[in-house]
Amino acid sequence: MKNIFLIFGYGVPKDILKDENYNLYLKIVFNKIYDIFAKNEIVNPVIIFSGGVTDCRKPYKRNEADEMIKLFDLLRKRQFVKNLTKNWVLIPEKKSISTLENFLFCKKIISKRKINKANIYIFCEQTRERRIKKLSKIIFNKNYKCCIVTVDFDTSSNRYLDPEFITKKEKEELKHSLWALKGRENLKKHRKSVEEKLKFLREVKSKDHEKEIKKFWEMRLGKL
């Protein structure tokens, strides 16, 4: 059976090669994929890096997928692993700007490659586990066996927010995603709401990006 690895992005950092969170995230992901690859003797695993243009730094042109591949490619070309990893297929998915779209656009890539049955390993930040599990069951049929691999990589201040606040945020994200899946118009509105979030983050003058993300969610949850 084919093995596919989905790596969802989490924003575009100033310099991904120096970013603590992304380095921790992708190094753990690399090791996990390597172990699965070696243990199961997988031939040419398909690795999809999912994330579009969410750059909050001018000129707002960088995307999450290309940035992640930039770092991941260095990891797989290290002298002591490159003989085993040189044929890994790294695929960028550059259209998505939300977790729901990560799923939908990755599914399109899988369909275009005519992979009708596969083991799918989905890597995500640990607080999103419940949402990722729920969406994976809805979006992928029984021909795809999904395994959710959570990675506790976030060391920013948002990682240490009130657990109740994080839970409420995740419930709202899931609720909105399930609503969006009910029709094309809903999906358009879902994307528009994410674009509004990006617009908010790009217009704020504060350099404290983590604080502004928290502020955005406080405003949104306060309206519910």
Side-chain angles (χ1 to χ4, degrees):
M1 187 182 291
K2 196 73 175 176
N3 290 273
I4 301 171
F5 300 88
L6 307 185
I7 305 173
F8 292 170
Y10 293 89
V12 177
K14 184 177 181 180
D15 183 351
I16 197 165
L17 301 184
K18 296 179 180 179
D19 188 80
E20 180 181 356
N21 286 337
Y22 259 117
N23 267 267
L24 182 57
Y25 179 40
L26 293 180
K27 285 175 181 178
I28 291 173
V29 168
F30 177 89
N31 284 352
K32 293 281 188 183
I33 294 176
Y34 184 89
D35 286 346
I36 295 169
F37 167 78
K39 183 179 179 180
N40 298 286
E41 298 182 351
I42 298 170
V43 178
N44 299 343
V46 175
I47 308 172
I48 303 175
F49 296 82
S50 180
V53 182
T54 62
D55 196 355
C56 286
R57 294 174 178 83
K58 292 181 179 180
Y60 313 126
K61 290 183 177 180
R62 296 180 301 157
N63 63 78
E64 297 171 9
D66 283 341
E67 291 297 304
M68 287 192 289
I69 288 177
K70 186 191 301 183
L71 174 54
F72 200 87
D73 205 33
L74 291 177
L75 296 175
R76 72 163 176 158
K77 287 180 178 177
R78 289 173 293 173
Q79 187 65 33
F80 45 86
V81 295
K82 67 178 184 179
N83 286 338
L84 292 175
T85 61
K86 61 184 178 183
N87 293 324
W88 286 10
V89 181
L90 310 185
I91 302 171
E93 180 288 294
K94 307 179 187 182
K95 295 181 180 179
S96 61
I97 58 172
S98 69
T99 299
L100 175 59
E101 289 190 347
N102 287 148
F103 273 109
L104 298 176
F105 287 117
C106 282
K107 186 180 180 182
K108 284 186 178 182
I109 290 175
I110 293 169
S111 296
K112 284 183 179 179
R113 296 179 74 88
K114 298 181 180 179
I115 302 172
N116 300 315
K117 192 174 184 180
N119 294 314
I120 299 180
Y121 298 86
I122 304 169
F123 293 91
C124 67
E125 194 272 325
Q126 70 163 5
T127 61
R128 307 185 186 194
E129 181 178 12
R130 181 174 176 272
R131 176 159 48 112
I132 298 290
K133 279 184 176 179
K134 180 73 174 178
L135 292 175
S136 69
K137 289 178 180 178
I138 294 171
I139 292 168
F140 290 109
N141 63 39
K142 293 181 180 180
N143 286 334
Y144 300 98
K145 183 179 179 182
C146 294
C147 175
I148 314 303
V149 185
T150 61
V151 183
D152 186 11
F153 65 86
D154 189 359
T155 57
S156 73
S157 59
N158 285 327
R159 161 65 174 80
Y160 309 100
L161 294 173
D162 183 351
E164 205 171 294
F165 178 84
I166 293 173
T167 299
K168 189 175 181 181
K169 168 191 166 297
E170 280 300 303
K171 284 183 178 179
E172 172 58 19
E173 289 266 37
L174 177 58
K175 180 182 176 182
H176 191 70
S177 294
L178 295 176
W179 169 83
L181 285 170
K182 291 181 178 179
R184 186 172 295 179
E185 286 303 313
N186 289 17
L187 283 171
K188 288 180 180 178
K189 290 177 181 177
H190 167 78
R191 185 174 179 91
K192 186 176 179 181
S193 72
V194 180
E195 288 173 341
E196 288 173 355
K197 175 186 174 183
L198 282 173
K199 186 174 183 290
F200 170 83
L201 294 174
R202 285 168 177 169
E203 289 179 349
V204 294
K205 295 180 180 179
S206 172
K207 293 183 179 180
D208 191 342
H209 192 69
E210 297 160 13
K211 184 178 180 181
E212 295 304 328
I213 291 174
K214 179 176 181 289
K215 184 188 295 184
F216 172 84
W217 276 106
E218 286 175 337
M219 290 190 300
R220 174 168 286 190
L221 295 175
K223 294 176 181 178
L224 301 178

